Amino acid sequence: KVSWTVADAVDYKGFPADRSKTGGWVPAALILGIEIVERLSTMGIAVNLVTYMISIMHLPSSTAANTVTDFMGTSFLLCLLGGFLADSFLGRYKTIGIFASIQILGTATLAISTKLPQLRPPPCHANSDSCKQANGFQMGILYLSLYLIALGTGGLKSSVSGFGSDQFDEKDEKEKSQMAYFFNRFFFFISFGTLAAVTVLVYLQDEVSRSLAYGICSVSMVLAILVFLSGTKRYRYKKSLGSPIVHIFQVITAAIKKRKMQLPCNVGSLYEDTPEASRIDHTNQFRFLEKAAIVAEGDFETNLSGSEPNPWKLCSLTRVEEVKMMVRLLPVWATTIIFWTIYAQMITFSVEQASTMERNIGSFQIPAGSLTVFFVAAILITLAVNDRLIMPLWKKWNGKPGFSDLQRIAIGLVFSIFGMAAASLCEKKRLSVAKSVSGNQATLPISVFLLIPQFFLVGSGEAFIYTGQLDFFITRSPKGMKTMSTGLFLTTLSFGFFFSSFLVSIVKKVTGTKDGQGWLADNINKGRLDLFYALLTILSFVNFVAFVVCAVWFKPKKSKQPAMQMGAIYGSTSEEKC
């Protein structure tokens, strides 16, 4: 018989959540609206920002690209801050409301900065060498608006998916299946936000008014917040269990303090106070961390409720194993970063390539930023084909419901290698046309549709790697650290963008000249972007080999020692040593 209340959730008044009045699909859909609008704003700004930096703010090509990648990298890095605040202080509901408001402030500031002529340098002819760059004050206002948006994005992304999953009870089979469906369709639905961003919003920016487009982002988020708040009485709220980051540092600190102590031969001699049903099997990797579970004098403190361990001196073996699980994720985490570096090229240099090519269909000119529609289309098509065709055939062939998380990541990395190789060949062709044209011609006589292969290959790769990473980091992490693990996943995007900025700066410094030439020249038609893409192809291949090695290593070896059969140990010591 199913209980009328949800055991680990409360309603907006703090009472046990009534299953019939709270949670389910409707509240989850209200939360999803916030994420769709967030994706609309962030991607609508990011995919077309490089053209604004070059054509309006008159920045060099490499500087404009780094501005975009730094903005996106910061957005995803701040997911860790948002997750920490949600877990430790605010809760997911308040975190979403606060950071959505911050994003509104950011998009409104951006709308104002693009509207006022005082916040832009004077206009000049395209490809002219005498254009005046934006001054420090003008760039300062622009950066303020961008990083307010980044802060809002970080807080939202860290909590939206988690708060959505809170609306379903994992202990109820019907709601558990609904939650699985919610996550399976989560990426599909937010991709429509991206689709609207790279089509409608980019068109408005280029053909009508950037300030109007950014104003629409602000108004859309206001409406999304009102819709979100309308579900306050129907949401289920889960109490915070404390920040996983703090728990990780407690284990590391306790292990360092006891670094000179020897581990006992018997695992059963280590401290454990976790109920047996919730314990994690002991593994033989990273055994140094187990020193945090050695009971020593002074580890327990007496208070009104009795004697309790000081978590900075003594941690349970299950807590140690949870940290081990997180550490085991790191090699796979590191070898997926390069994919997002390649992704960064699709919204920076590829958009700049498109701006120099013929984009007309009849009398209609496609905005350069809208070429990423092929990127989004590739994601949606790949997800649909995988769901309806590949997975059924895969299940029929080997009995498994689909590719494993690591297999999906591997497929995504392979797609990215071919995507960069195609990009290098396409750019070589574009440059040959640029050299054959006399003068500083703004539009080259070559079709922009030549770029479709690179967008499609990398987009298909994202469909596999994003879902694979999300599955990997959520299912391979401890139950109490899933928010932390989701944040760790999002940092691969962050570091991918930052690595792109770093790589662009290094290549610019090594190959550049004083007059703005080199691989990444100030004028893209005078550079060798094809060689930069070729470098990324080589780095991606080397990274793929490293990923395969890490994926093979990932499977942990379980301890052959018998399972622990003890409760909290108060009188044990670490005298028994190997």
Side-chain angles (χ1 to χ4, degrees):
K1 185 178 180 180
V2 179
S3 172
W4 286 107
T5 60
V6 182
D8 57 347
V10 296
D11 61 17
Y12 75 106
K13 292 183 177 180
F15 298 123
D18 187 325
R19 191 181 302 276
S20 64
K21 296 180 180 179
T22 62
W25 261 112
V26 174
L30 299 179
I31 298 165
L32 186 62
I34 287 268
E35 177 62 18
I36 292 173
V37 175
E38 179 277 319
R39 182 62 71 97
L40 172 73
S41 300
T42 304
M43 293 306 297
I45 292 165
V47 298
N48 209 29
L49 185 59
V50 70
T51 60
Y52 180 76
M53 292 292 185
I54 294 171
S55 62
I56 305 299
M57 305 303 276
H58 307 150
L59 298 184
S61 173
S62 58
T63 305
N66 280 359
T67 300
V68 177
T69 51
D70 288 344
F71 162 63
M72 293 297 287
T74 303
S75 298
F76 289 108
L77 187 62
L78 287 170
C79 291
L80 288 177
L81 173 64
F84 174 76
L85 292 175
D87 286 337
S88 302
F89 304 106
L90 300 174
R92 289 168 180 162
Y93 174 79
K94 290 182 180 178
T95 301
I96 291 171
I98 291 171
F99 283 91
S101 302
I102 292 174
Q103 189 170 72
I104 291 172
L105 182 61
T107 52
T109 306
L110 185 61
I112 294 170
S113 72
T114 55
K115 180 67 175 178
L116 298 178
Q118 297 90 335
L119 298 178
R120 302 191 304 271
C124 67
H125 187 268
N127 293 328
S128 172
D129 295 327
S130 60
C131 293
K132 182 181 178 182
Q133 286 190 26
N135 59 38
F137 175 73
Q138 292 167 340
M139 291 303 298
I141 298 297
L142 180 62
Y143 284 141
L144 174 64
S145 60
L146 288 177
Y147 287 100
L148 280 173
I149 295 168
L151 179 60
T153 298
L156 287 174
K157 281 191 175 294
S158 62
S159 297
V160 168
S161 59
F163 194 49
S165 67
D166 288 346
Q167 307 313 308
F168 304 98
D169 182 11
E170 291 184 9
K171 297 175 183 177
D172 179 75
E173 288 301 321
K174 181 180 178 181
E175 291 196 15
K176 186 177 180 181
S177 63
Q178 289 178 338
M179 181 171 67
Y181 187 83
F182 172 77
F183 274 115
N184 288 341
R185 298 298 181 268
F186 181 78
F187 185 54
F188 186 82
F189 281 120
I190 62 175
S191 292
F192 279 104
T194 305
L195 189 63
V198 302
T199 52
V200 178
L201 208 62
V202 168
Y203 179 80
L204 288 174
Q205 290 173 34
D206 285 357
E207 303 298 329
V208 183
S209 167
R210 283 185 181 267
S211 57
L212 173 63
Y214 299 146
I216 289 173
C217 292
S218 299
V219 173
S220 297
M221 185 57 81
V222 170
L223 295 176
I225 290 178
L226 293 176
V227 171
F228 172 72
L229 294 177
S230 71
T232 300
K233 294 182 179 181
R234 298 198 59 177
Y235 295 139
R236 292 175 187 170
Y237 306 85
K238 294 193 176 180
K239 296 178 180 178
S240 173
L241 299 176
S243 173
I245 297 176
V246 175
H247 296 160
I248 291 172
F249 278 113
Q250 287 173 341
V251 170
I252 294 173
T253 302
I256 291 174
K257 286 180 178 178
K258 297 175 180 178
R259 63 188 179 279
K260 295 182 180 179
M261 300 179 72
Q262 291 184 339
L263 286 168
C265 294
N266 183 10
V267 176
S269 298
L270 297 173
Y271 176 73
E272 180 64 280
D273 62 354
T274 308
E276 191 166 351
S278 301
R279 293 177 190 172
I280 300 173
D281 290 336
H282 176 259
T283 56
N284 288 323
Q285 292 174 319
F286 313 114
R287 294 211 62 192
F288 167 79
L289 294 173
E290 293 176 21
K291 292 187 177 184
I294 297 176
V295 181
E297 187 176 354
D299 285 350
F300 289 86
E301 298 176 348
T302 304
N303 52 38
L304 295 176
S305 59
S307 182
E308 293 183 352
N310 183 332
W312 294 96
K313 294 181 179 180
L314 180 65
C315 303
S316 69
L317 188 57
T318 292
R319 178 58 52 80
V320 172
E321 288 297 331
E322 286 178 344
V323 175
K324 283 187 185 182
M325 289 176 72
M326 295 301 293
V327 173
R328 275 195 291 270
L329 301 178
L330 294 181
V332 173
W333 170 84
T335 50
T336 54
I337 289 174
I338 193 70
F339 177 88
W340 300 105
T341 299
I342 290 172
Y343 174 94
Q345 312 318 309
M346 297 299 106
I347 60 173
T348 53
F349 288 123
S350 292
V351 174
E352 191 177 351
Q353 285 175 282
S355 68
T356 68
M357 304 168 78
E358 289 184 350
R359 308 190 305 275
N360 289 78
I361 300 179
S363 59
F364 175 75
Q365 186 179 63
I366 305 171
S370 290
L371 260 291
T372 49
V373 71
F374 294 107
F375 189 80
V376 181
I379 294 172
L380 296 174
I381 292 170
T382 303
L383 288 172
V385 171
N386 183 57
D387 189 44
R388 298 296 179 183
L389 181 62
I390 297 176
M391 287 177 64
L393 291 175
W394 185 257
K395 184 177 182 180
K396 187 176 181 180
W397 181 56
N398 67 0
K400 295 182 179 179
F403 297 119
S404 69
D405 45 13
L406 291 173
Q407 286 173 334
R408 276 177 281 166
I409 293 172
I411 293 170
L413 291 175
V414 170
F415 268 112
S416 70
I417 295 171
F418 284 108
M420 274 297 95
S424 181
L425 294 174
C426 290
E427 175 61 6
K428 191 171 183 179
K429 173 66 176 175
R430 195 193 68 83
L431 285 174
S432 67
V433 173
K435 290 177 182 178
S436 66
V437 174
S438 59
N440 287 332
Q441 191 168 329
T443 303
L444 301 176
I446 182 172
S447 174
V448 75
F449 296 114
L450 184 70
L451 302 179
I452 289 179
Q454 65 199 58
F455 280 112
F456 205 89
L457 286 167
V458 178
S460 295
E462 187 191 354
F464 281 105
I465 202 168
Y466 192 100
T467 55
Q469 279 185 288
L470 190 61
D471 188 5
F472 176 80
F473 283 99
I474 288 179
T475 61
R476 307 291 185 121
S477 63
K479 185 176 181 180
M481 295 188 179
K482 294 195 183 297
T483 302
M484 164 72 178
S485 184
T486 303
L488 189 65
F489 153 53
L490 292 172
T491 59
T492 63
L493 283 74
S494 172
F495 283 103
F497 284 111
F498 284 137
F499 182 66
S500 176
S501 297
F502 172 76
L503 197 61
V504 166
S505 299
I506 293 296
V507 170
K508 179 80 172 175
K509 186 174 182 180
V510 173
T511 68
T513 60
K514 291 182 179 180
D515 58 349
Q517 302 304 306
W519 284 13
L520 303 175
D522 293 346
N523 185 334
I524 193 174
N525 291 337
K526 298 178 181 179
R528 290 302 305 272
L529 186 61
D530 58 325
L531 296 180
F532 179 67
Y533 284 162
L535 174 64
L536 278 172
T537 305
I538 295 169
L539 290 176
S540 299
F541 178 77
V542 173
N543 177 79
F544 176 72
V545 174
F547 169 79
V548 172
V549 173
C550 293
V552 171
W553 170 88
F554 174 78
K555 189 175 181 180
K557 295 180 180 179
K558 294 184 179 180
S559 172
K560 295 182 180 179
Q561 300 212 32
M564 296 170 289
Q565 298 292 333
M566 79 293 186
I569 299 175
Y570 294 94
S572 299
T573 65
S574 57
E575 294 178 356
E576 181 188 4
K577 299 181 176 64
C578 297

